[in-house]
Amino acid sequence: MILMPLPAVGVLVVVDSANWPIREMWPVFPVLAVVAGLMMRPSVRLSGDELLIRYPIGSQRLRRSDVASAHFNYFGLVVQLRNGATAFAFLAPKPTSTELSSGGRPEPGSASYEITRWASEG
């Protein structure tokens, strides 16, 4: 919902700023862009029986019984499902993680470690 006024404000500021009093309100545009960016932030959440992956537009819910494991690649978090399919999340490992640099095992506290442990417990 917050994204709908963003293009309209941008067009008004750029195109019609000489004839309309919006030119005094140009700071609204960057503030609205920051708020929209924060609301679109991708995330991954675990609940008792479900993994929720939020994308910039939309989300995906995965049942615990469907998730086999998770690991990071250079593009984000890859969730391996039991039926052989994969789900992708725009998520980066911790800066101190060795998962990407040396192919090390995920450490406790890492998103991939926690998702894999969560899936194996259920």
Side-chain angles (χ1 to χ4, degrees):
M1 287 253 232
I2 191 85
L3 297 178
M4 297 304 287
L6 192 61
V9 170
V11 167
L12 286 173
V13 167
V14 172
V15 174
D16 201 21
S17 63
N19 298 323
W20 209 56
I22 192 89
R23 67 178 177 265
E24 287 88 20
M25 302 217 14
W26 70 267
V28 171
F29 187 69
V31 169
L32 192 59
V34 168
V35 169
L38 290 175
M39 290 186 72
M40 290 178 25
R41 184 175 52 193
S43 66
V44 175
R45 298 192 190 263
L46 285 175
S47 68
D49 60 342
E50 185 174 74
L51 172 66
L52 174 66
I53 301 173
R54 290 189 60 198
Y55 300 108
I57 298 175
S59 63
Q60 183 176 9
R61 294 178 183 274
L62 302 170
R63 292 182 311 199
R64 185 179 201 161
S65 59
D66 294 342
V67 177
S69 65
H71 67 277
F72 283 101
N73 65 14
Y74 287 103
F75 303 107
L77 179 71
V78 178
V79 179
Q80 187 68 41
L81 304 179
R82 295 193 193 279
N83 65 2
T86 58
F88 182 77
F90 297 102
L91 193 66
K94 290 181 176 181
T96 58
S97 175
T98 60
E99 288 180 75
L100 291 179
S101 60
S102 64
R105 305 197 87 186
E107 304 163 352
S110 167
S112 59
Y113 177 86
E114 296 298 328
I115 291 171
T116 303
R117 186 172 61 93
W118 171 81
S120 65
E121 290 175 356

